[in-house]
Amino acid sequence: MMPVYRYAVEPLKQFLRTTHISAQYHISRLSVRGFSNTLPSHDEVSSLQSTPAGPPLDPSLVSTRAEERQLLRSGIKPIGSRRRRAALQGSTNIPFEQLPYQCFQEARKILQADREEKLRHIDVQRARIARLQAQENCISGGEAEKKRRLKSMQNHLAELKILADINDPVIKKRFEDGQGDLDRPIYRYLADKQWRAYRRPVLVQRIMQMNVVPDVLPYLEPIADVRLAFGRRNVQPGDFVDSRVSEIPAKLNVQVFDKGERKVSIVVIDSDVPDPERDGFDYRCQYLATDINLSPTLDSLPLAKLPEGSHVALPWLPPLAQKGSPYHRISVFVLQQPEGKEINLNKEKQARDAFSLRSFVDKHSLKPIGVHMFRSQWDEGTAGVMKRAGVEGVDIQFQRKKVEPLPYKKKDGARYR
């Protein structure tokens, strides 16, 4: 019969066995000096001071928040989830595609044979497209019919490229680890699918629920993932942002999912500016820039420092909500320009107040591809932000007009007798 103390020792042994390797990983990074009842000598102190900080952090093995922050400060992102990185610390370093599982390796052989077949179909489709492009328009049924057939064949070629890699476990692993190359169609397809699964429905819900559409634009179908941040704070669609936080220009991350480089315009609109003269609300343009280069790999757009070749017509004006007014909806629109067309607005005089985004889109034939929005309201820092921005109206407070009740007319009580 097992002694009673063994029941208490067994769980402790199991815990120590599972955490032994993880503890070795963290202890190896520290400079440890043993206990002693004497003072350290000068040589020992100098050796301790000259000891390096430790080996560099491995982005695939860090498992604590402090190490993750240290990596991010150096510009390196951790790979995978924290649970996965903690598990890899106690595992052998075997490449993913060489895992010693017979079923896994046999399945990879089947997938590889299927991929080779898809590659043959891709070569055949490319040859067909080349033959069609070499034909004259009269043989192909006219110029319009030739363009239609070419577009259909190119769409089928793009689909074959995705089908060739969609089942590859190495492709999926790299995408989940954030190491996918968005120049390849398969990674753009997976990123688009991930965005449409959650982030896009939430965005569409916010802009429809808060009437950004149709108040600002009559129709909008987002096809680009737009993320917005002020400094270290990431803003979700519909969030309330403190006026002191939004005083600095925002940083956008616009991810498109189709190949090629294009030029876009960025417009930031406040659609809830009070207009006391007509007892309503008007629009104000908080920011306007055009001719911004955008591609699947060139997605970072800090509004304070846009890429070379961009034109800023209206610099950043902090979103402000005067005291007593309801919250303001601040919308960020990404508008794709026609191919080969530049919009240089520096020569034109742009007005911030009464800015109509519908007229701007129609005038320059722009296509809305992305949107983001947040909300601003009066807070304790708004007065200081307005003074620093040179905006008048700090001492103005809006109040709701009192609705006078209709005069009560007492009816003759004789009719109820």
Side-chain angles (χ1 to χ4, degrees):
M1 183 175 180
M2 184 181 293
V4 177
Y5 68 88
R6 293 288 298 276
Y7 291 102
V9 173
E10 287 298 328
L12 180 60
K13 288 172 60 180
Q14 183 178 2
F15 173 77
L16 293 175
R17 190 183 303 115
T18 56
T19 58
H20 176 65
I21 300 178
S22 177
Q24 283 185 341
Y25 171 75
H26 294 290
I27 292 176
S28 64
R29 305 192 71 257
L30 301 175
S31 297
V32 182
R33 178 176 178 269
F35 291 103
S36 176
N37 55 5
T38 61
L39 295 175
S41 63
H42 176 74
D43 296 338
E44 186 177 355
V45 171
S46 61
S47 64
L48 286 175
Q49 292 177 351
S50 62
T51 302
L57 293 174
D58 190 348
S60 61
L61 294 179
V62 294
S63 59
T64 63
R65 295 182 183 272
E67 293 173 342
E68 290 177 0
R69 288 194 295 268
Q70 186 176 349
L71 267 182
L72 292 173
R73 281 195 295 267
S74 62
I76 304 175
K77 292 184 178 180
I79 299 176
S81 64
R82 188 179 300 138
R83 179 181 297 180
R84 174 177 176 270
R85 286 182 255 117
L88 286 177
Q89 292 178 7
S91 64
T92 55
N93 191 15
I94 300 177
F96 178 74
E97 58 272 11
Q98 298 178 8
L99 290 177
Y101 302 114
Q102 182 178 1
C103 181
F104 176 74
Q105 296 299 335
E106 293 297 328
R108 289 201 67 220
K109 292 179 182 179
I110 297 175
L111 295 176
Q112 185 65 25
D114 179 74
R115 187 177 188 275
E116 293 175 357
E117 182 182 358
K118 294 294 190 303
L119 292 178
R120 289 194 294 269
H121 292 335
I122 289 174
D123 294 337
V124 172
Q125 189 69 10
R126 282 175 175 169
R128 290 176 179 173
I129 293 176
R131 286 197 300 269
L132 181 60
Q133 289 176 340
Q135 288 181 358
E136 296 182 359
N137 295 339
C138 58
I139 301 177
S140 305
E143 184 179 359
E145 179 64 19
K146 182 179 179 179
K147 288 183 178 179
R148 187 193 66 81
R149 290 178 59 189
L150 275 175
K151 185 177 180 180
S152 176
M153 295 172 71
Q154 289 170 353
N155 291 339
H156 182 57
L157 178 62
E159 183 180 358
L160 287 175
K161 291 180 181 179
I162 293 173
L163 292 177
D165 294 327
I166 191 64
N167 295 318
D168 191 347
V170 179
I171 294 289
K172 293 187 176 182
K173 175 183 177 298
R174 289 176 183 170
F175 176 74
E176 291 175 359
D177 291 346
Q179 298 177 332
D181 183 9
L182 291 177
D183 279 335
R184 298 182 58 181
I186 181 61
Y187 290 114
R188 293 198 300 268
Y189 171 80
L190 293 175
D192 187 20
K193 183 179 179 181
Q194 185 183 54
W195 173 62
R196 292 179 181 272
Y198 179 73
R199 289 182 56 83
R200 188 182 184 277
V202 172
L203 173 66
V204 173
Q205 180 196 34
R206 296 294 189 272
I207 63 176
M208 298 298 293
Q209 186 181 38
M210 299 182 187
N211 296 319
V212 175
V213 176
D215 286 357
V216 184
L217 280 181
Y219 177 76
L220 176 61
E221 189 69 21
I223 59 174
D225 182 14
V226 181
R227 305 192 183 198
L228 185 143
F230 290 100
R232 294 187 177 182
R233 179 185 173 182
N234 296 322
V235 179
Q236 300 301 323
D239 280 357
F240 282 99
V241 179
D242 191 278
S243 60
R244 291 163 294 187
V245 175
S246 61
E247 185 176 5
I248 61 174
K251 179 180 178 181
L252 297 183
N253 188 283
V254 183
Q255 183 62 64
V256 292
F257 305 105
D258 52 341
K259 66 177 182 179
E261 187 171 320
R262 78 290 320 267
K263 289 187 178 294
V264 298
S265 300
I266 296 178
V267 184
V268 182
I269 296 290
D270 183 352
S271 53
D272 297 308
V273 180
D275 187 357
E277 295 182 359
R278 63 184 184 91
D279 194 19
F281 297 92
D282 207 343
Y283 301 100
R284 179 195 294 138
C285 184
Q286 306 291 132
Y287 182 86
L288 175 59
T290 61
D291 303 330
I292 305 170
N293 293 324
L294 183 66
S295 68
T297 55
L298 183 62
D299 55 355
S300 179
L301 301 176
L303 301 186
K305 187 178 180 181
L306 289 174
E308 186 178 356
S310 307
H311 301 99
V312 179
L314 294 175
W316 180 262
L317 178 67
L320 301 169
Q322 289 178 299
K323 192 172 184 179
S325 66
Y327 65 78
H328 290 210
R329 298 165 295 170
I330 313 298
S331 309
V332 182
F333 291 91
V334 180
L335 312 170
Q336 183 172 334
Q337 301 174 190
E339 186 176 358
K341 181 180 179 181
E342 293 187 357
I343 307 174
N344 193 347
L345 298 177
N346 292 339
K347 299 179 181 179
E348 303 178 13
K349 187 176 180 181
Q350 293 293 324
R352 290 186 182 272
D353 297 331
F355 183 88
S356 176
L357 186 61
R358 304 185 188 207
S359 302
F360 183 77
V361 169
D362 294 339
K363 179 181 178 181
H364 299 286
S365 302
L366 303 177
K367 176 186 176 183
I369 62 173
V371 64
H372 200 288
M373 65 91 57
F374 62 95
R375 290 180 285 179
S376 178
Q377 61 183 354
W378 174 272
D379 52 48
E380 58 184 7
T382 304
V385 174
M386 293 179 69
K387 291 179 181 178
R388 288 190 292 271
V391 178
E392 300 178 354
V394 180
D395 54 345
I396 297 177
Q397 179 176 355
F398 290 93
Q399 294 182 352
R400 292 185 179 272
K401 184 183 297 184
K402 185 178 179 181
V403 179
E404 296 293 339
L406 294 174
Y408 177 71
K409 183 179 179 180
K410 187 174 181 181
K411 294 182 180 180
D412 186 11
R415 58 186 294 187
Y416 298 106
R417 294 177 183 173

